[in-house]
Amino acid sequence: MDQFHFTLDAGRVAGDEALTLQFKGVYADTVKTQDIPVVIREAIPEPVFTLKAPAQWDGRQTIEVVPHISNVQAMQAKGAGDLKYVWSVSGLATIKEIESGS
């Protein structure tokens, strides 16, 4: 309604995506429609990671699980090297202590 600007929040995409924005103008005698094609290009690579943990564990000793990001330099080159981690563990009793990078 009486809007001259529109901001499209593309969110996070994996790969290029295409969509169509449809704008409608309602007049006294008609409705005019304008379709605008939009292409969202993925420019920041997804993190490629493995989790390093001990090969054997007795279930009682404290272990540390550390991510290894193999493409961190490519991500940093695109301005996305500062990762934020969200961890969850289920199915066993845990004491969860999140530290920077582990």
Side-chain angles (χ1 to χ4, degrees):
M1 153 185 342
D2 294 334
Q3 188 168 339
F4 297 104
H5 301 280
F6 178 76
T7 301
L8 174 67
D9 182 6
R12 187 174 180 115
V13 296
D16 294 347
E17 291 190 17
L19 57 102
T20 302
L21 290 177
Q22 189 175 72
F23 294 93
K24 292 186 179 187
V26 179
Y27 298 89
D29 59 340
T30 188
V31 175
K32 293 183 179 182
T33 303
Q34 179 75 43
D35 291 339
I36 308 294
V38 177
V39 177
I40 302 166
R41 303 246 185 250
E42 180 183 33
I44 300 172
E46 292 288 325
V48 177
F49 69 95
T50 55
L51 297 177
K52 291 186 177 182
Q56 295 183 342
W57 180 48
D58 64 7
R60 296 184 183 277
Q61 297 298 316
T62 300
I63 63 170
E64 182 179 33
V65 178
V66 180
H68 172 71
I69 313 298
S70 61
N71 65 338
V72 72
Q73 290 178 338
M75 293 178 65
Q76 287 172 339
K78 295 288 187 170
D82 184 24
L83 298 175
K84 294 176 179 53
Y85 301 93
V86 177
W87 299 92
S88 66
V89 178
S90 63
L92 59 133
T94 62
I95 298 173
K96 185 168 103 173
E97 187 176 325
I98 300 173
E99 295 178 6
S100 178
S102 65

